[in-house]
Amino acid sequence: MAKLSDLQELIATEVNELKFPLAPADLYEPIKYILALGGKRIRPALVLMACDLFGGDVRKAISPALAIEVFHNFTLMHDDIMDNAPLRRGKVTVHEKWNTNVAILSGDVMLVEGYKLMMNVDDHLLRPIMQIFNETAVGVCEGQQFDMDFEQRNDVHIDEYINMIRLKTAVVLGSALKIGALIGGADNRNALLLQSFGEHLGVAFQLQDDILDVYGDPDKFGKQVGGDILSNKKTFLLIKALELTDSGALNDLEHWLSGTDFPPKEKVDAVTAIYDQLNIRQFAWEAMHTYVKKAFDSLDAVKLPEDNKQALRVFADSLMVREY
Amino acid sequence: MAKLSDLQELIATEVNELKFPLAPADLYEPIKYILALGGKRIRPALVLMACDLFGGDVRKAISPALAIEVFHNFTLMHDDIMDNAPLRRGKVTVHEKWNTNVAILSGDVMLVEGYKLMMNVDDHLLRPIMQIFNETAVGVCEGQQFDMDFEQRNDVHIDEYINMIRLKTAVVLGSALKIGALIGGADNRNALLLQSFGEHLGVAFQLQDDILDVYGDPDKFGKQVGGDILSNKKTFLLIKALELTDSGALNDLEHWLSGTDFPPKEKVDAVTAIYDQLNIRQFAWEAMHTYVKKAFDSLDAVKLPEDNKQALRVFADSLMVREY
């Protein structure tokens, strides 16, 4: 079995070798730019890994793996416009470096380039794989819209939130594994189980991200602790707290949500204290753990030698930091 | 042979019956909204007509025809953002009625819905038809980018302009006919010839539009005569004039291009006078006629009974008003 890190390197090389037309420059330069910003190339590496796991020829999975990476970067380019984000991986975003029109149109053609790359599969897999790709793309768009909707609402239910993060981030992980599995020769049942592994793990990973934002070790987390609290982001923790608070604590929480000019440390400490009082960390940890367990149950059910599955267990362990 | 008008009506009914999910409402409502604005449904009707022409089952072409219409409306939704257009078919545009983020994301999912609809073809046609669809989508994006680029340039060559209008508007007409022909059972050669007919006719139609803007009968043209002149739009006429003018007339033309606050009638009359002096109308008419001829030559070469081709000749005649 190939190691994930080797597959990530292979994909990084292949991404660098992707060719696009020279003109119109403002259509294709932004694609090269955003793809060159790097990133861990986890999603395309999962396509290759799933193919490898079932004994398939990894070279046959390279173009679909690139499709997943190009698609993912298309969503980043358009999300950055919608989120008004100035930076992506420490570099200026496309709509800031060029302009919004360029980022819209360049993103559009990137989605099409994703479809072109995804079509490089054997004939008998073309329809099923394109269907997975369509469902994935629809899911990510729905997830992004729900995410934007939730920022305007104060009555978001936990189930809605979990569905949103599933659509926005987890579906692509599941689809990457399913597509790779099918190319590797997996039957439908095993491909579905692997997809389920990826999707549940994706939800768990996002819940972990919510927890780490408040309770993570600043040295290891790599982001500012409390960033979600400061931006009033509707995370699992905030939604659960709003759901649980009696009127007294609710008033407290709403006080801290209402303003934007509180001293940062004061706000983070105060909201964290409310979370602590309501035992939110435990609720979040349990929800996360439920999804980790669902992921491993799915992986256990895949019909493959234990050794082959080991790479995915290592991958899952590397995602879940277990320090909370 | 079915009449084009009947096929347009059939498609109008089918568009009304398209179903989209209820949630997220801001993702799917704009799709229903823009599709309900109407339009002549020419592109999807051409898919059906080409299928019918080759004796195919028109019902098999309905979903791909809808794909073309949904795709076309996706391009309108995103173009309207880029062009900052307040109105589309007399109604408020999506980015004005909702907001830009909604128009971006709703457009994205519309492109994916187009792919979903396009996949409803027999297995042996799936790959070739998806390839045509990919090329079409890339072409339209390239055309839109060139169009935006040209607005910032004063050295656009006529060949570049023709290529831009081919990509931006003609390619879809050609692809609609080619896809319909393939579904109808046409061989590759005939499908290509029909595509060529559509593409050349599309270029001719756009050139006619440039001419009519200046020389059209206001009662029949339906738009304000001189609109392109007032907005300094880089049409065939303006590009040709900039190419032909000696330094004297060029200075005159550049004077009228430099300001935005001239009295409208004065500017239209003055620029039209320069066009007349340079015989621009004749150049444009000849270019247009070259493409009409190319279109009919392609149609002549299609191996089908003359009666079957008649519907396409009637269609071509209906597009070209011959009043200039």
Side-chain angles (χ1 to χ4, degrees):
Chain A
M1 292 300 102
K3 285 199 312 197
L4 184 65
S5 55
D6 292 341
L7 299 173
Q8 284 171 284
E9 260 181 58
L10 172 59
I11 279 294
T13 310
E14 293 285 342
V15 167
N16 288 340
E17 282 171 14
L18 274 174
K19 292 275 175 289
F20 297 98
L22 292 176
D26 277 359
L27 192 64
Y28 291 113
E29 281 299 325
I31 300 181
K32 296 180 211 167
Y33 175 79
I34 196 168
L35 286 174
L37 292 182
K40 295 190 291 292
R41 318 292 188 195
I42 291 283
R43 295 162 190 79
L46 287 179
V47 178
L48 302 186
M49 178 175 274
C51 173
D52 189 39
L53 218 64
F54 286 94
D57 179 353
V58 167
R59 283 169 303 177
K60 283 194 165 183
I62 287 178
S63 183
L66 290 169
I68 288 285
E69 184 66 7
V70 168
F71 168 78
H72 174 60
N73 279 274
F74 139 72
T75 65
L76 299 181
M77 200 187 283
H78 277 191
D79 283 3
D80 282 343
I81 308 172
M82 295 182 238
D83 300 341
N84 217 354
L87 297 176
R88 160 74 52 194
R89 298 189 175 119
K91 296 274 174 64
V92 186
T93 44
V94 168
H95 66 278
E96 289 284 339
K97 189 174 164 74
W98 284 268
N99 57 56
T100 300
N101 285 355
V102 162
I104 292 173
L105 198 59
S106 200
D108 289 346
V109 88
M110 244 179 133
L111 175 53
V112 179
E113 292 294 333
Y115 274 99
K116 282 166 67 178
L117 287 163
M118 194 55 91
M119 282 180 61
N120 292 327
V121 292
D122 290 345
D123 281 347
H124 72 287
L125 289 175
L126 183 60
R127 188 180 296 276
I129 284 182
M130 295 305 272
Q131 279 168 344
I132 299 168
F133 196 45
N134 284 336
E135 283 162 27
T136 308
V138 166
V140 172
C141 289
E142 290 186 351
Q144 169 70 3
Q145 185 63 53
F146 280 128
D147 195 14
M148 295 194 295
D149 289 348
F150 292 175
E151 292 307 311
Q152 310 303 320
R153 282 175 49 192
N154 280 316
D155 60 346
V156 180
H157 192 273
I158 285 288
D159 293 346
E160 291 181 285
Y161 177 73
I162 301 259
N163 185 48
M164 182 276 282
I165 59 178
R166 185 183 68 79
L167 290 167
K168 188 169 169 172
T169 68
V171 159
V172 183
L173 295 176
S175 300
L177 287 167
K178 189 178 190 185
I179 288 168
L182 290 174
I183 295 169
D187 61 22
N188 244 333
R189 184 179 167 279
N190 281 311
L192 271 169
L193 284 168
L194 215 56
Q195 176 183 34
S196 167
F197 163 74
E199 212 169 293
H200 288 132
L201 195 66
V203 172
F205 180 73
Q206 190 58 50
L207 291 173
Q208 170 179 268
D209 209 52
D210 287 0
I211 299 170
L212 290 180
D213 183 81
V214 178
Y215 295 107
D217 178 341
D219 294 337
K220 294 187 186 157
F221 186 46
K223 294 191 213 171
Q224 182 195 14
V225 168
D228 289 347
I229 290 176
L230 291 173
S231 64
N232 287 347
K233 185 151 181 258
K234 297 243 166 46
T235 65
F236 181 97
L237 286 72
L238 179 53
I239 293 167
K240 192 72 191 175
L242 288 168
E243 191 184 305
L244 284 180
T245 42
D246 56 31
S247 57
L250 186 59
N251 282 342
D252 260 11
L253 191 53
E254 280 176 347
H255 162 75
W256 290 105
L257 289 174
S258 67
T260 51
D261 51 357
F262 296 110
K265 188 169 177 331
E266 203 176 310
K267 176 165 175 175
V268 171
D269 289 349
V271 174
T272 305
I274 296 172
Y275 287 171
D276 288 345
Q277 188 190 329
L278 294 166
N279 212 15
I280 296 296
R281 185 178 181 169
Q282 180 68 17
F283 283 111
W285 190 89
E286 277 166 16
M288 184 197 74
H289 193 75
T290 305
Y291 282 91
V292 173
K293 189 173 178 319
K294 283 186 186 183
F296 280 110
D297 286 351
S298 296
L299 187 57
D300 287 344
V302 175
K303 281 239 165 71
L304 269 181
E306 210 38 48
D307 275 5
N308 291 35
K309 293 192 241 177
Q310 193 52 27
L312 286 174
R313 292 187 201 283
V314 172
F315 163 66
D317 283 340
S318 75
L319 276 189
M320 307 311 290
V321 298
R322 298 177 185 279
E323 295 184 14
Y324 24 82
Chain B
M1 292 299 104
K3 285 198 312 194
L4 183 65
S5 54
D6 293 341
L7 299 174
Q8 284 171 284
E9 260 180 59
L10 172 59
I11 279 294
T13 310
E14 294 285 341
V15 168
N16 288 341
E17 282 172 13
L18 273 175
K19 293 274 175 289
F20 297 98
L22 292 176
D26 277 359
L27 191 65
Y28 291 113
E29 281 299 325
I31 300 181
K32 295 181 211 165
Y33 174 79
I34 196 168
L35 286 174
L37 293 182
K40 295 190 291 292
R41 318 289 188 198
I42 290 284
R43 295 160 191 79
L46 287 179
V47 178
L48 303 186
M49 178 175 273
C51 173
D52 188 40
L53 217 65
F54 285 94
D57 179 353
V58 167
R59 284 168 303 176
K60 282 192 166 186
I62 286 178
S63 183
L66 290 169
I68 288 285
E69 184 66 8
V70 168
F71 169 79
H72 174 60
N73 279 274
F74 140 72
T75 66
L76 299 181
M77 200 187 282
H78 277 193
D79 283 4
D80 283 344
I81 308 172
M82 297 182 237
D83 300 342
N84 216 353
L87 297 176
R88 160 74 52 193
R89 298 190 174 118
K91 295 276 174 65
V92 186
T93 43
V94 168
H95 66 277
E96 289 283 341
K97 188 175 164 74
W98 284 268
N99 57 57
T100 300
N101 286 354
V102 162
I104 292 173
L105 198 59
S106 199
D108 289 346
V109 87
M110 243 180 134
L111 175 53
V112 179
E113 292 294 332
Y115 273 99
K116 282 167 65 177
L117 288 163
M118 193 56 91
M119 282 182 60
N120 293 327
V121 291
D122 290 345
D123 280 347
H124 72 287
L125 289 175
L126 182 60
R127 189 181 295 276
I129 284 182
M130 295 304 272
Q131 279 167 345
I132 299 167
F133 196 45
N134 284 336
E135 284 162 25
T136 308
V138 167
V140 172
C141 290
E142 291 185 350
Q144 169 70 3
Q145 185 63 53
F146 280 128
D147 195 14
M148 294 193 295
D149 289 347
F150 292 175
E151 292 307 310
Q152 311 302 320
R153 282 175 49 192
N154 280 317
D155 61 346
V156 180
H157 192 274
I158 284 288
D159 293 346
E160 291 181 286
Y161 177 73
I162 301 258
N163 186 47
M164 183 277 283
I165 59 178
R166 185 184 68 78
L167 289 167
K168 188 169 170 174
T169 68
V171 159
V172 183
L173 295 177
S175 299
L177 288 166
K178 189 179 189 185
I179 288 168
L182 289 174
I183 296 169
D187 61 22
N188 243 334
R189 185 179 167 279
N190 281 312
L192 271 169
L193 285 167
L194 215 57
Q195 177 184 34
S196 167
F197 163 74
E199 211 170 292
H200 288 131
L201 195 68
V203 171
F205 180 74
Q206 190 59 49
L207 292 173
Q208 170 179 267
D209 209 53
D210 287 359
I211 299 171
L212 290 180
D213 183 80
V214 179
Y215 296 108
D217 178 341
D219 294 337
K220 293 186 185 158
F221 185 46
K223 295 192 217 173
Q224 181 194 15
V225 169
D228 289 346
I229 290 177
L230 292 173
S231 64
N232 288 347
K233 185 151 184 259
K234 297 246 166 43
T235 65
F236 181 97
L237 286 73
L238 178 55
I239 293 167
K240 192 73 190 172
L242 287 168
E243 189 184 307
L244 285 179
T245 43
D246 56 30
S247 58
L250 185 60
N251 282 343
D252 261 12
L253 192 52
E254 281 176 348
H255 162 75
W256 290 105
L257 289 174
S258 67
T260 51
D261 52 356
F262 296 112
K265 190 173 176 328
E266 204 176 310
K267 176 166 177 174
V268 172
D269 288 349
V271 174
T272 305
I274 297 173
Y275 287 170
D276 288 345
Q277 187 190 328
L278 294 166
N279 212 16
I280 296 296
R281 184 178 182 169
Q282 181 68 17
F283 282 110
W285 190 88
E286 276 166 16
M288 183 197 74
H289 194 73
T290 305
Y291 281 91
V292 172
K293 189 173 177 321
K294 283 184 186 183
F296 280 110
D297 285 351
S298 296
L299 187 56
D300 287 344
V302 175
K303 281 237 165 71
L304 270 180
E306 209 38 48
D307 276 5
N308 292 35
K309 294 193 239 177
Q310 193 52 27
L312 286 174
R313 293 189 200 283
V314 172
F315 163 66
D317 283 340
S318 75
L319 277 189
M320 308 311 290
V321 299
R322 298 174 187 281
E323 294 184 15
Y324 26 83

